[in-house]
């Protein structure tokens, strides 16, 4: 599978940031992910590259969480609160608040599928569940998000 | 999930930009690739018609000799120059399409790419040769060695002439010249077989062997020169 590594860097960074909520740590984990990925040439040309990349990132994030069990604060969130119109900002905040009410696993699934646009087949292998289960969980997560938001805003 | 919600979701996962991305990709070690993997990747770039021609020749030989019980030596040896043409055009393809300099600037040098493709096609043609010899031997009195020599001679002559042409001429001129050489060799082969069958019958076998050795040496020399010439492109960049 041919893959744009620079594009994937942003996506893996976003995934790590979602997990650790700290810019520096997220970037360190992203770089470590890519170094380990490039170090293991077996997966590079076998068509499982994306799955492997996310597996490394997830394992590193879990290790990082175990190392620093204290809850980390979302320090950098203010830094991105620029270049948005007022309406966009309100929408973004309301979606963000709705997301926070969801379970962590549902949030992660929504991030992978709709933000990072990871194919369903890769998500299946990443979680070790069937395609049907992924669709069901995605549908439940989306339904949960919509109910938290109020259906009338996004129909 | 509708598009608006998807966009809102993307926005809500907005994060501070990474600061060390460019520096990381500048310094990161690139993944290595083994020789075998490299050859496999190059095999995928060889044009389909080169493989299609091999399949066509094999099918004709199989139907003609195996099913219809005809003498197919003349037909198979007439196809050999066209098989050689597939090798020649592949070696000069990047130059024909003005891609030689571009390929030189990429991960693998043009020399490696040309060499890999020549090796792949050479090995594939050799395998096809081995498969065709039994069919060419059927329904006539020629032995295996003699059949092999009769098939190798037009192949090597075309390869020798074609490789010489792509070194001397460039662009579409060389492609036309190679096709001309292949067609001429094929036609001469057919003419000789029909008009002077005694040449194929065994009396002139020593001349066939001499010709195969000479064309074999010539072809090897031309291959070496072609690969060497691709190195010279680097100096013209």
């Amino acid at each position: 599978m041919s893959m744009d590594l620079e594009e994937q860097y942003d996506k893996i960074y976003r995934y790590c940031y979602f997990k650790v909520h700290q810019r520096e740590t997220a970037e360190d984990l992203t770089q470590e992910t890519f170094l380990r990925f490039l170090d293991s040439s077996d997966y590079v040309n076998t068509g499982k590259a994306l799955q492997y990349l996310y597996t490394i990132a997830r394992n590193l994030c879990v290790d990082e969480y175990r190392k620093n069990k204290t809850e980390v604060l979302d320090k950098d969130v203010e830094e991105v609160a620029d270049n948005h119109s007022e309406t966009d900002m309100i929408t973004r905040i309301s979606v963000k608040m709705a997301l926070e009410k969801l379970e962590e696993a549902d949030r992660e699934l929504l991030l992978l599928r709709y933000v990072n646009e990871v194919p369903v087949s890769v998500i299946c292998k990443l979680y070790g569940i069937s395609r049907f289960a992924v669709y069901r969980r995605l549908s439940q997560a989306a339904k949960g998000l919509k109910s938290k938001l109020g259906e009338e805003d996004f129909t | 999930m509708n598009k608006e919600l998807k966009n809102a979701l993307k926005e809500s996962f907005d994060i501070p930009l990474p600061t060390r991305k460019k520096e990381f990709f500048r310094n990161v070690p690139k993944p290595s690739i083994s020789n075998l993997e490299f050859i496999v990747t190059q095999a995928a770039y060889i044009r389909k018609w080169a493989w299609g021609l091999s399949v066509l020749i094999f099918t004709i030989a199989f139907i003609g000799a195996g099913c219809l019980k005809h003498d197919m030596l003349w037909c198979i040896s007439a196809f050999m120059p066209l098989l050689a043409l597939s090798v020649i055009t592949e070696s000069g393809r990047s130059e024909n399409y003005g891609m030689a300099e571009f390929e030189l600037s990429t991960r693998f040098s043009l020399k490696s790419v040309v060499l890999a493709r020549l090796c792949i096609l050479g090995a594939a043609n050799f395998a096809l040769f081995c498969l065709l010899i039994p069919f060419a031997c059927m329904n006539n009195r020629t032995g295996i060695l003699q059949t092999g020599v009769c098939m190798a001679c037009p192949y090597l002559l075309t390869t020798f002439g074609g490789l010489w042409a792509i070194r001397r001429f460039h662009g579409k001129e060389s492609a036309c010249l190679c096709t001309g050489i292949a067609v001429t060799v094929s036609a001469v082969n057919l003419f000789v077989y029909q008009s002077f069958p005694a040449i194929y019958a065994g009396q002139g076998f020593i001349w066939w062997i001499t010709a195969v050795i000479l064309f074999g040496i010539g072809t090897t020399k031309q291959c070496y020169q072609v690969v060497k010439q691709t190195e010279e492109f680097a100096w013209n960049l």
Side-chain angles (χ1 to χ4, degrees):
Chain A
M1 187 175 90
S2 133
M3 197 170 60
D4 184 351
L5 286 183
E6 294 203 23
E7 190 190 328
Q8 290 305 327
Y9 184 97
D10 291 336
K11 291 182 175 177
I12 293 291
Y13 168 69
R14 188 186 286 120
Y15 179 73
C16 292
Y17 187 86
F18 165 77
K19 289 279 201 182
V20 297
H21 304 283
Q22 276 186 330
R23 182 163 67 184
E24 284 297 314
T25 316
E27 199 151 11
D28 285 345
L29 292 175
T30 307
Q31 295 194 352
E32 183 61 28
T33 301
F34 274 87
L35 286 174
R36 288 190 188 192
F37 172 77
L38 294 171
D39 208 32
S40 165
S41 58
D42 294 354
Y43 278 85
V44 177
N45 298 312
T46 57
K48 292 179 181 173
L50 197 60
Q51 181 198 334
Y52 188 48
L53 208 51
Y54 275 97
T55 306
I56 302 171
R58 194 165 70 150
N59 291 344
L60 284 174
C61 290
V62 170
D63 289 348
E64 182 64 26
Y65 177 76
R66 282 181 187 150
K67 247 189 275 172
N68 313 312
K69 273 200 169 174
T70 51
E71 187 72 23
V72 285
L73 293 171
D74 210 347
K75 287 178 185 175
D76 305 309
V77 76
E78 281 76 23
E79 292 178 37
V80 294
D82 51 6
N83 301 325
H84 291 285
S85 72
E86 200 177 334
T87 328
D88 284 349
M89 189 72 86
I90 291 165
T91 313
R92 199 163 63 86
I93 289 168
S94 56
V95 173
K96 205 173 174 76
M97 283 168 70
L99 275 171
E100 277 166 12
K101 288 176 194 161
L102 290 179
E103 283 183 26
E104 171 99 6
D106 288 344
R107 276 206 301 272
E108 187 174 326
L109 202 60
L110 290 172
L111 165 78
L112 287 173
R113 183 70 194 107
Y114 296 116
V115 183
N116 278 9
E117 292 166 349
V118 178
V120 173
S121 56
V122 174
I123 298 176
C124 293
K125 283 167 189 157
L126 196 63
Y127 289 109
I129 55 176
S130 70
R131 210 177 175 85
F132 176 75
V134 171
Y135 280 121
R136 189 169 48 78
R137 281 181 57 184
L138 272 171
S139 156
Q140 276 174 357
K143 207 181 277 179
L145 183 68
K146 279 179 187 172
S147 72
K148 303 278 187 298
L149 277 169
E151 285 272 0
E152 68 281 359
D153 293 339
F154 293 98
T155 48
Chain B
M1 187 177 278
N2 64 31
K3 204 176 170 185
E4 200 185 347
L5 184 54
K6 275 184 195 170
N7 288 337
L9 206 56
K10 278 182 187 171
E11 288 283 307
S12 66
F13 276 105
D14 207 2
I15 50 167
L17 291 172
T19 51
R20 292 175 271 141
K21 183 179 164 184
K22 277 187 183 168
E23 188 193 348
F24 176 72
F25 278 107
R26 214 173 23 242
N27 300 323
V28 74
K30 302 290 180 290
S32 58
I33 187 169
S34 69
N35 287 339
L36 186 67
E37 283 172 320
F38 170 61
I39 288 173
V40 170
T41 56
Q42 287 307 311
Y45 291 106
I46 292 171
R47 281 177 290 192
K48 302 283 180 294
W49 77 264
W51 303 117
L53 183 68
S54 302
V55 174
L56 178 74
I57 296 171
F58 182 77
T59 312
I60 291 172
F62 179 76
I63 294 171
C67 303
L68 303 174
K69 309 286 180 199
H70 285 311
D71 174 14
M72 294 301 286
L73 177 59
W74 63 274
C75 179
I76 294 170
S77 62
F79 267 118
M80 286 298 120
L82 299 178
L83 201 61
L85 184 67
S86 69
V87 181
I88 301 158
T89 50
E90 199 59 48
S91 62
R93 184 154 65 115
S94 54
E95 203 198 329
N96 285 348
Y97 292 100
M99 295 294 283
E101 290 183 346
F102 178 71
E103 284 187 22
L104 278 165
S105 66
T106 54
R107 191 173 165 194
F108 305 106
S109 69
L110 180 60
K111 183 182 150 192
S112 320
V113 170
V114 169
L115 203 57
R117 289 182 191 176
L118 283 177
C119 287
I120 294 163
L121 281 169
N125 287 352
F126 180 73
L128 182 69
F129 234 77
C130 296
L131 285 172
L132 287 173
I133 286 175
F135 292 109
C137 284
M138 281 180 194
N139 315 312
N140 60 40
R141 288 179 188 172
T142 49
I144 288 178
L145 182 67
Q146 200 178 343
T147 307
V149 169
C150 289
M151 283 163 58
C153 196
Y155 180 87
L156 290 173
L157 175 59
T158 312
T159 316
F160 170 71
L163 290 176
W164 174 83
I166 60 163
R167 286 201 309 112
R168 290 280 181 281
F169 303 93
H170 301 282
K172 286 195 173 166
E173 272 179 30
S174 71
C176 292
L177 199 59
C178 290
T179 312
I181 291 170
V183 171
T184 309
V185 172
S186 183
V188 168
N189 189 55
L190 275 178
F191 175 75
V192 170
Y193 189 83
Q194 298 298 333
S195 310
F196 311 100
I199 294 177
Y200 284 81
Q203 292 97 323
F205 187 56
I206 187 74
W207 294 109
W208 282 100
I209 292 206
T210 313
V212 163
I213 292 169
L214 284 177
F215 294 142
I217 294 167
T219 304
T220 312
K221 208 174 167 185
Q222 290 300 327
C223 280
Y224 173 75
Q225 297 285 352
V226 165
V227 173
K228 201 178 162 198
Q229 195 168 324
T230 59
E231 282 175 355
E232 289 165 13
F233 285 132
W235 295 99
N236 297 330
L237 283 175

